[in-house]
Amino acid sequence: MDMKLEVVVVPVSDVDLAKAFYEKLGFRLDIDYAANENFRVIQFTPPRSEASIIVGKGITSAKSGSANILVLAVDDVDVARDDLIARGVKVSEVFHYAGGPFNNAVQNPRVGGRDPQGRSYFSFASFEDPDGNGWLLQEIQTRLPGREWQSTQVRTMDVRALAELLRETSEHHDNFEKTHAKHHWWDWYAPYLSARQNGSSPEEAAAAADRYMEEVLHAFAR
């Protein structure tokens, strides 16, 4: 039997304020339904996520703001952080945990800066909604073996959409190719395509690809 985490309830005190905040984040509004003055349910889905969140009234007895660790997996924590800041969200500086991911059991658990070894799962940034519900951006570029379910369904490829995305990638790569050291085009294409498929804008995806080429493959500007 397939089981998918579908919805997480986030307790809030002011439904309209919470709705405005999550719309500002760029979450997709799926439903806003009120049966009466005592019951209202609003569902949002983060970009490209298969799981959603629900805020509302008459849904949960949990204290507003009590959801203190909600995790959003991102390809590039810097790009995601910049996007949220541009949307008017207050986001922490990038950090890693002294005792490993999510380890708050040690003194001064958060250490400023990315994970020194550049590992997936180890670099974070944090923010809160108006009620104090805590969110973490967790950078995951490569998942560990066994961390993805094997799909049993054949996905139909939209060839026209793929062709358009490749054309767009080629255009954005052109500037990098002219200004940086010799490199394989596919090394730049991969992070760009990955970022675009995970909801980044063309400009954000190009910045992520540039950063990957310079920091990981050392293809610096000439």
Side-chain angles (χ1 to χ4, degrees):
M1 178 187 294
D2 288 347
M3 293 185 182
K4 296 182 179 180
L5 178 63
E6 187 73 11
V7 170
V8 174
V9 176
V10 179
V12 301
S13 58
D14 186 321
V15 180
D16 288 316
L17 185 62
K19 179 182 179 182
F21 177 79
Y22 287 106
E23 285 182 320
K24 181 170 67 174
L25 289 188
F27 285 19
R28 185 187 69 210
L29 176 61
D30 297 325
I31 188 173
D32 183 351
Y33 171 74
N36 51 55
E37 63 181 10
N38 296 315
F39 178 77
R40 183 180 177 189
V41 57
I42 304 176
Q43 178 172 308
F44 282 101
T45 302
R48 308 295 179 185
S49 174
E50 292 191 9
S52 305
I53 65 166
I54 280 179
V55 299
K57 185 177 182 180
I59 298 172
T60 176
S61 60
K63 182 180 179 181
S64 61
S66 60
N68 59 2
I69 302 181
L70 299 161
V71 182
L72 294 169
V74 297
D75 287 335
D76 188 311
V77 69
D78 292 302
V79 171
R81 179 177 179 274
D82 290 345
D83 176 71
L84 292 182
I85 291 174
R87 295 173 183 272
V89 180
K90 185 178 180 180
V91 188
S92 77
E93 296 293 333
V94 175
F95 67 91
H96 60 282
Y97 285 92
F102 309 111
N103 187 350
N104 284 296
V106 300
Q107 188 174 9
N108 301 319
R110 295 187 177 187
V111 180
R114 287 173 156 272
D115 171 56
Q117 299 179 47
R119 295 169 291 182
S120 284
Y121 301 98
F122 281 76
S123 295
F124 297 83
S126 63
F127 64 95
E128 295 182 347
D129 74 3
D131 281 282
N133 293 300
W135 289 86
L136 289 174
L137 302 174
Q138 182 183 27
E139 183 177 278
I140 304 176
Q141 295 182 338
T142 304
R143 292 190 179 273
L144 294 172
R147 299 295 178 90
E148 292 181 294
W149 297 110
Q150 295 298 317
S151 175
T152 58
Q153 298 180 342
V154 178
R155 302 180 67 178
T156 302
M157 179 182 294
D158 186 337
V159 176
R160 182 174 297 178
L162 178 59
E164 174 60 23
L165 183 55
L166 287 171
R167 180 199 61 76
E168 173 195 303
T169 307
S170 175
E171 290 183 352
H172 281 82
H173 172 251
D174 186 55
N175 181 65
F176 184 89
E177 187 173 37
K178 291 177 179 177
T179 57
H180 285 69
K182 186 176 180 180
H183 60 278
H184 297 301
W185 61 265
W186 51 82
D187 286 327
W188 193 95
Y189 272 43
Y192 182 92
L193 288 169
S194 177
R196 288 290 283 130
Q197 290 173 335
N198 282 280
S200 295
S201 68
E203 292 73 22
E204 293 166 345
D210 289 357
R211 186 161 50 251
Y212 172 82
M213 294 298 293
E214 292 177 352
E215 295 181 357
V216 179
L217 298 184
H218 307 301
F220 298 107
R222 293 195 293 263

